[in-house]
Structure formats: C-alpha cells, structure tokens
Amino acid sequence: MHNSFMTWFLPFLIIVGKSLLLLIVLLLLIAYLLYIDRKVWAAVQLRRGPNVVGPWGLLQSFADLIKFIIKEPVIPAGANKGVFLLAPFVAAGLALSTWAVVPVSYGWAIADINVGLLYIFAISSLEVYGVIMGGWASNSKYPFLGALRSTAQMISYEVSIGFVMVTVLLCVGSLNLSDIVLAQNNGLGTWIGIPFASFLDWHWINLFPMFVIFFISALAETNRPPFDLVEAESELVAGHMVEYSSAPYMLFFLGEYVTIVLMCAMITILFLGGWLSPLDIGWLNRVPGIIWFFLKVCFLFFMFAIVKAFVARYRYDQLMRLGWKVFLPLSLTMVIITATFLKITGWR
Amino acid sequence: MLTGPAAVFFYFFSLIMVASAVMVVAVRNPVHSVLFLILTFFNAAALFLLAGAEFLAMILLIVYVGAVAILFLFVVMMLDVGFIELRRRSFKYMPIGVLIGFLLLAELIIIFLSSSFSSKFSAVVSAPIDMVTRSNTQALGDVLYTDYAFYFEVGGIILLVAMIGVIVLTLHHRTGIKRQSIAEQVSRTSETAIEIKKVESNKGI
C-alpha cells in the first residue's frame, strides 16, 4: 500500500499541485496583461484607460471579474441549452490545457512530452469547437454567421502556422519544446564569432520571414485586431458571443486571452530562445530562466497590444487572400528552401 | 495485461469511447451526433497515448478532430435536411447495414486469426522500436520515407488530384462582378491613375 502511494499517488499530487500553481500564475498574469492591453490602447489614443479601481486602476480586471460573476447569465429561449453552456467551457478548458507542455524555464514544464509542438498544434486546432458550438447553440443568425466566419479564419491561418512550425522543427530536429529552446544555444551568433551575443543565436534572425509570418498568423488565429472581423466592435457586436452574458461570456473572453498569451509563449519558444538569456554574460546568466521567459512574453504581448491600437481592420476577402495566397505559398517555399539548405550544408 | 493506473485509465477512456460511439447513432439531433463523434475520436487519441503511440494520437486529433469533424459539423449545421424524416426512412436500410456490420466483424476476426498463423505478419506488426535511441515519431518517419516512400507519395498525389478536382468542379467564375486585382492595383502609377485635364473657365469638361 505504501509503495503504491509513493509510486502513483504522490506523483499525481505533485502534478496537480504544479498545474494549480501554473493556473493561478497564468490567470494573475492575464488579469494584468488585460490591464496593459487597455492601457496601451488608451495611451495610443491619448486617453487614460482604466484608472479608477485601485491605484492607477490596477484592480480593474478583478472588478471586471466580480462584475461578470454576479451578473445574471441569460440563456436565450430557443438555445440548445446543453451545447450553449458547454461551448465556453470547451473554449476556456482547451486554451488552458495547452499550457501543460509549455516549458517556462529549463525543465519547468508540467508534461515535457516528445510531441509537445504537435500537442499544441492539435489542441489549438480544437479551439475552433468552442466558437462553432457557441455560435450554433445560440440559435440566432448573427452568432452563427460570426462563428462560421471565425472558424474559416482560424482554419485558414492554422495552415501557415503549421508550416512555420515545420521550418523550425527542421532546424531543430525535435518536436520537444525544451529541445527547440536548447537548440537555440548555438546558431548564427556563434557561427560568425560573437559568442556573447546569444540573441543572435536564436531562430528569429535566420528564420526572419517565418518569424513575421508566425506573428501575423498568430494575430489572425486568435482573432486579434487587425483580423478581428468576427467581433469588429465598431460594426458588429461580438460574433459568436452575441448571446452570451456574465460567466459564460467571461469564459470565452478568458479562453481568448489565454490563447493570445500562449501564442506569445510559442513565438518566444520557437524564435526568441525561450528562457535563454539574451546576452551570454555572467550575471545575466544567473537570472532565473523564467524571468527571461516572462519578459519576452510581455514584450510580445506589448506588440500584440500596439498592433491592436494602430493597424486598420482588414476586409474579409483581404484576410482570406493574405492567408491562402500570400502566407501559404511563402511558408511552403520556405519549408522547401530550409530543407534543401539543411540537406546541402548539413548545418544541423 | 494492463495493471494499476494504466488499466483504470484504459477502461475509463474505452468506456467513454464506446458510450459516445453508441450515442452517435442513438441521439436524434445530428449536430449532437457529430459532437459525440468528436468525443469518440478524442478518446481514441487518448487510447493511442496510453499505447505509447503519441504521434498517432496527435495526428488523429489534428486530422480527424481538427479538420474532418469540423467539415462534418459545417455540413450538418448548414444543410437544411429533414433529419427526422431521414431517420424514419433509414430503417428500410437496416438489413443491409447489419449485413455490412457482420462483414466487417468477420474480416476483423479473420485478420486476428491469420496473424496467429502467419509468422511474417506478426513480425511486421509487432516489430519492437528501439525506444532508447529513437522516438515513436522518428521510427514512423524512417519507415514512411524509406521503405514505403513510393506508396506515401502516390497517396499524396491522389489527394492532390482529388483536391484539384473539387476546386475545378465547384469554381464558377461569374462575369459582371467587381473583383479586386491586387497586382493591377499595385502596378498603377500616377500616369495611369490620374488624368489631368485643362478646365477652361465657365465651361465644364
């Protein structure tokens, strides 16, 4: 009995503990990233942004949380109740579950699985279900149309995201996310003889076109402006979320932001060297990896927020054209070029 | 034989899988039916993971749940078919369905029987992978791109032909619609875009 406790139950408890810790940190982080998002947006438009709740408005997200929870959830009379309530849980649950494989520092992943990259790709391709179930179950025209548009958009950009991931893993030779980060210890910087500038070793410099494509595709995949055609706050209402209110709406909202932070983390891991320090200097190397990871994610989120503030919204046909006629051929060509280059030079 | 937590997980996933597979054919609403199908796929992926085939599990999720099932869902949600009516009539096809079911079952049984007779079969199917040096993904890739490269590429070309065929069948270029041509827009210069006319006073153009 004691033996089975040590071999099965204790690891189980440790995993549950780790997951809870990650969940709490992630949710706190999102509360403040939401605040940063609104502040940046406000600053660009010469407004103040949230500044009433708490000092400098720091508690705004928590006030919003309480508001969402104590409001009455309204379920439309003709809605398919089960699916209607299931959809937000699917959206938020799937978004959160992708974080299980993200290594936030060396060896700091809940599940350091061999096919980590594929896992993230698989789960993020499932996130479409939250959208389409919500849109259909509302039993109303506009959510349904919004859901269809959103689904088409997400599926289109998944293709180019997939090819970008293929290029990176061609350079690395592993689907394990930790291996992808560790492979960025050696790269262009080391090769041209500047060993201390380890930020030159990362993939963003030798795969720069892929870095840009991934960033833009991530914006489209998460329905962020300039690709937020589904929500388009100034024209439509909220796409597939029109009929949702209070806690179910909050879950959709949460899922969306968790996915955005995940995309920032993915860009960090694939292109910006994950938890590695940008300069190979003694005291910088002693800074814990998670700090670097956090700073990089915050930087990328800032980029997401800035893009939201000053890029005009795309039209739907332009969005589809960009996805299928520009990004798909470009990323496919880059896969072929990278593979050929690696085969000829034997770089890896 | 499975023991310990692995067995618990196995029975858990299998139970949900079988139950949701039954629900696929039992529920009245076709959308619910597709959702149960997705649950079935999901549990199948979990069973693959338990069997140590993590690559297959992820591919099952990406291909079937992430793409094929979404297509099903689209079709079922958007087509206005009288599904209740269809279901009532479907009892007519019951005997042939049962027949096909038994045929498949018989074939499965034959496969398992022949595997115990033919030594080559079991050698191919249960060839162990050296898990220390190579991961599941690498082992699969090695086989797919060396021994079976030809069949793999033929499969790819068949899919490509199917895709092009579908595009050709469904693409209609209607005339008389204003289309945006990006190349045309980009290649415009001030000479081709602007026309300067001298306007005399007290006269229009």
Side-chain angles (χ1 to χ4, degrees), chain A residues 8 80 83 114-115 118-119 121-122 125-126 128-129 132-133 136 144 148 151 155 175 315 317-318 321, chain B residues 5 29 31-32 35 38 42 54-55 58-59 61-62 64-66 69-70 73-74 77-78 135 137 180 182:
Chain A
W8 300 115
N80 194 316
V83 181
N114 277 337
V115 286
L118 273 183
Y119 173 83
F121 192 62
S125 71
L126 301 190
V128 176
Y129 284 111
I132 196 163
M133 280 161 77
W136 176 79
F144 187 52
L148 290 182
T151 312
I155 291 177
L175 285 164
R315 219 170 49 215
D317 60 320
Q318 291 171 330
R321 181 184 161 271
Chain B
N29 191 329
V31 173
H32 291 175
L35 292 177
I38 292 160
F42 210 87
E54 74 270 10
F55 184 76
M58 293 305 147
I59 291 298
L61 279 189
I62 293 170
Y64 281 92
V65 187
I70 290 179
L73 213 55
F74 260 49
M77 281 177 179
M78 299 219 284
S135 73
T137 317
Q180 187 182 23
I182 302 290

Side-chain angles (χ1 to χ4, degrees), chain B residues 69-184:
Chain B
I70 290 179
L71 206 68
F72 283 0
L73 213 55
F74 260 49
V75 170
V76 168
M77 281 177 179
M78 299 219 284
L79 284 186
D80 189 25
V81 183
F83 279 101
I84 309 292
E85 184 67 20
L86 210 67
R87 195 166 287 271
R88 203 177 298 136
R89 275 188 296 160
S90 70
F91 283 106
K92 230 169 36 182
Y93 303 109
M94 193 74 135
I96 202 158
V98 170
L99 190 73
I100 292 174
F102 270 111
L103 214 65
L104 288 175
L105 184 67
E107 277 180 350
L108 270 179
I109 292 170
I110 290 169
I111 288 172
F112 283 114
L113 285 181
S114 64
S115 72
S116 56
F117 291 130
S118 144
S119 57
K120 197 181 169 212
F121 182 88
S122 53
V124 171
V125 169
S126 58
I129 302 167
D130 187 5
M131 290 299 271
V132 182
T133 54
R134 294 194 307 174
S135 73
N136 204 307
T137 317
Q138 279 171 317
L140 215 73
D142 279 351
V143 176
L144 215 55
Y145 287 94
T146 52
D147 298 349
Y148 299 102
F150 178 70
Y151 305 101
F152 185 70
E153 281 166 14
V154 167
I157 287 171
I158 290 171
L159 287 176
L160 182 69
V161 169
M163 191 180 85
I164 293 171
V166 169
I167 292 172
V168 168
L169 283 176
T170 53
L171 187 69
H172 299 292
H173 261 300
R174 282 191 293 165
T175 48
I177 313 173
K178 281 192 176 161
R179 272 182 198 283
Q180 187 182 23
S181 165
I182 302 290
E184 209 171 282

Side-chain angles (χ1 to χ4, degrees), chain A residues 159-160 163 210 213 320-337:
Chain A
V159 180
S160 54
F163 279 120
M210 296 282 99
I213 290 179
M320 282 296 159
R321 181 184 161 271
L322 186 71
W324 290 104
K325 292 188 179 172
V326 180
F327 282 177
L328 177 61
L330 207 63
S331 50
L332 196 55
T333 321
M334 273 303 280
V335 169
I336 296 168
I337 292 174

